[in-house]
Amino acid sequence: MKILVIGEGGREHALVWKLSKDSCKARIFCAPGNAGTAGIATNLAIKSDDVSGLLAWAKTNKPELTVVGPEAPLCAGIVDIFSKEGFRVFGPSRAAAQMEGSKVFSKDVMDAGGVPTAASQSFTSSKEALKYVRSQSFPLVIKAEGLAAGKGVVICNTETEAEAAVQDMLEKKVFGGAGERILVEEFLEGEEASILALIDGKTVVMLASAQDHKRVFDNDQGLNTGGMGAYSPAPVVTDDLWPVIRRDVFERTLAELKKRGITYKGVLYAGLMIGKKGPRVLEFNCRFGDPETQVILPRIDGDLVPALLACVDGTLSEKMIKWRREACVCVVMASGGYPGAYEKGKVINGIAEAEEINGATVFHAGTKVDNGKVVTSGGRVLGVTALGSDLPAAIGNVYKAVARITFDQVHFRKDIAAKALRRN
Ligand code: AMP
Ligand code: GLY
């Protein structure tokens, strides 16, 4: 069996790693991949948003399964294009991917379907948006409608900040077309968690809970990043919340999409704020989370390929995914300066030594091989990940592994999963 994985980050390394362990012993290709995927798959020199290049490769090489990592090709309709040519591809159609691609579409689905979320208004006119924000209390959240690489959300504590955000998006067009329409949203309080579900069009299989750490520094200080670490399970998602999330978030969303003639297949990621009023949706993503995937997949016991194929074929069932009891923690090791400007090409030492720690795996994100050495090539460089019998054990293992890895100007958070321990 041949499997094509599309993407190049830590999420894709984790996917390739998990799929390579499946009992079907597939040959895996990753486009374009990174230094980590190169060790267990064949990297292809095709960018993840080069849909026609990917299709040309598929027509020649005939993968039995294609798994799409990032949102850009999904929003560009890669699933529709591959399916039309007869390929089995895991992910939502272009219409369904609007759940991530357009925050206005997604909010409209939530409001119409009764999915709990922050109250909001959408605007294209800066004058009207400014008038509205001046009538609101703070904090207030302002979001660019489209894909803005995780930077399109501004939490405004004052009217001045809100005015600046409106002007940046609607007048200065700092996010280009992605910010031609904005959402002004109520600020929700609580603790965040990510719940991802596999969906085959009708059946929902929720995956283990996870929590991301978006801020760059310990204690959630500093700028937002693509994610500095994650852990699973997230105890903020208590047992009583699971049936509520299934019904109010996933089932209501699927029902509303169905009314609009849209079938959702693939993975739907719900970013939730768990507060006093229960879980409310902050955002949906139409793909696996990064770095949530790095902590969810190691906890799956047994094969993943049958469940992914079942999502494509409409034959998914709960028993296809089994869980290990262990907890998992991922610490992102980043380049000095990230999420601002940073240097590349730093030699990374100690990856093999880190993987000698019990339960540890090092997922590559921004790396490449240069003259036979693994060097940094991005802001988020590695996702050092470890299982442990419980969260404290997994934290112990992961930081032992992190201590063995060095590169010039590395930085990482030292408090990943600490919030879960405080809760316990
Ligand atoms: P999003 O891309 O919509 O998930 O937003 C990015 C981050 O901004 C979220 O992970 C939250 O930390 C924060 N955020 C977004 N919307 C809200 C909201 N309505 N209330 C509070 N925080 C929010
Ligand atoms: N971890 C956040 C995301 O994948 O969007």
Side-chain angles (χ1 to χ4, degrees):
M1 176 168 190
K2 281 187 200 165
I3 301 178
L4 170 63
V5 175
I6 296 172
E8 61 184 319
R11 163 184 55 208
E12 287 77 17
H13 187 188
L15 280 164
V16 169
W17 170 87
K18 179 65 188 163
L19 297 174
S20 72
K21 290 176 180 296
D22 256 53
S23 56
C24 66
K25 294 275 164 260
R27 231 183 119 195
I28 302 177
F29 298 83
C30 192
N34 58 36
T37 61
I40 45 178
T42 305
N43 282 352
L44 306 172
I46 312 171
K47 291 213 172 101
S48 58
D49 57 359
D50 177 6
V51 176
S52 52
L54 292 164
L55 181 65
W57 183 89
K59 281 184 173 169
T60 311
N61 294 281
K62 308 200 171 12
E64 279 96 336
L65 171 65
T66 298
V67 182
V68 188
E71 61 278 14
L74 292 167
C75 293
I78 192 169
V79 170
D80 311 60
I81 294 164
F82 270 51
S83 311
K84 209 167 136 213
E85 298 290 340
F87 293 111
R88 283 158 111 192
V89 47
F90 175 84
S93 65
R94 180 185 183 138
Q98 290 180 89
M99 288 304 289
E100 173 165 2
S102 164
K103 286 190 193 289
V104 175
F105 174 85
S106 160
K107 189 62 101 175
D108 195 45
V109 168
M110 287 190 255
D111 288 343
V115 177
T117 184
S120 73
Q121 296 257 11
S122 75
F123 297 93
T124 49
S125 144
S126 153
K127 200 169 146 223
E128 278 168 34
L130 288 171
K131 190 169 145 208
Y132 178 77
V133 301
R134 286 175 188 135
S135 71
Q136 295 297 300
S137 56
F138 292 84
L140 199 62
V141 184
I142 301 192
K143 301 184 173 184
E145 130 145 87
L147 297 179
K151 299 196 176 81
V153 175
V154 186
I155 314 271
C156 306
N157 289 306
T158 62
E159 195 174 298
T160 315
E161 283 172 28
E163 286 171 356
V166 168
Q167 284 158 347
D168 280 349
M169 291 184 201
L170 291 178
E171 291 172 22
K172 297 183 194 151
K173 309 239 183 280
V174 295
F175 299 117
E180 271 172 12
R181 204 153 39 146
I182 62 167
L183 275 180
V184 181
E185 192 169 287
E186 163 201 12
F187 178 81
L188 298 179
E189 280 180 79
E191 189 176 332
E192 285 182 56
S194 308
I195 300 288
L196 285 69
L198 298 180
I199 300 175
D200 70 346
K202 48 187 191 302
T203 304
V204 174
V205 174
M206 293 196 284
L207 302 180
S209 59
Q211 190 177 62
D212 189 3
H213 295 63
K214 291 206 169 94
R215 302 297 196 99
V216 65
F217 298 128
D218 287 6
N219 299 314
D220 295 330
Q221 301 296 308
L223 293 174
N224 260 324
T225 69
M228 293 299 289
Y231 63 92
S232 173
V236 62
V237 188
T238 47
D239 289 348
D240 55 315
L241 292 181
W242 286 92
V244 177
I245 296 169
R246 169 181 292 280
R247 185 192 63 215
D248 294 359
V249 176
F250 290 105
E251 287 176 356
R252 288 186 185 172
T253 298
L254 291 193
E256 178 58 31
L257 285 173
K258 197 171 166 196
K259 273 194 200 159
R260 298 169 186 227
I262 298 173
T263 304
Y264 198 101
K265 288 185 174 191
V267 62
L268 183 62
Y269 164 135
L272 303 174
M273 186 67 90
I274 317 265
K276 291 204 185 77
K277 291 185 186 159
R280 294 208 267 171
V281 177
L282 291 170
E283 63 162 347
F284 280 114
N285 292 320
C286 63
R287 49 163 176 87
F288 283 106
D290 191 339
E292 287 92 337
T293 305
Q294 290 87 314
V295 293
I296 292 173
L297 296 187
R299 297 190 61 218
I300 293 182
D301 195 5
D303 288 353
L304 179 60
V305 173
L308 300 187
L309 285 172
C311 286
V312 181
D313 298 341
T315 53
L316 183 67
S317 76
E318 198 73 46
K319 63 177 190 299
M320 289 179 168
I321 299 285
K322 295 193 181 65
W323 297 99
R324 302 163 67 114
R325 295 188 61 86
E326 289 110 308
C328 193
V329 178
C330 171
V331 175
V332 170
M333 298 183 81
S335 295
Y338 174 80
Y342 53 84
E343 292 170 14
K344 298 181 186 177
K346 311 285 185 193
V347 175
I348 306 168
N349 290 306
I351 292 176
E353 292 78 1
E355 289 193 318
E356 284 165 11
I357 300 288
N358 199 14
T361 308
V362 178
F363 295 122
H364 293 231
T367 65
K368 65 174 188 182
V369 179
D370 194 15
N371 280 323
K373 289 193 170 126
V374 179
V375 302
T376 66
S377 70
R380 291 190 295 166
V381 176
L382 300 171
V384 182
T385 304
L387 288 163
S389 54
D390 53 16
L391 275 173
I395 294 170
N397 289 341
V398 81
Y399 279 106
K400 267 187 229 154
V402 165
R404 295 186 173 190
I405 297 178
T406 53
F407 57 89
D408 186 31
Q409 295 177 29
V410 58
H411 78 90
F412 56 88
R413 278 182 61 160
K414 298 177 183 62
D415 67 340
I416 302 300
K419 213 179 268 168
L421 298 192
R422 285 201 290 275
R423 174 173 287 271
N424 286 342

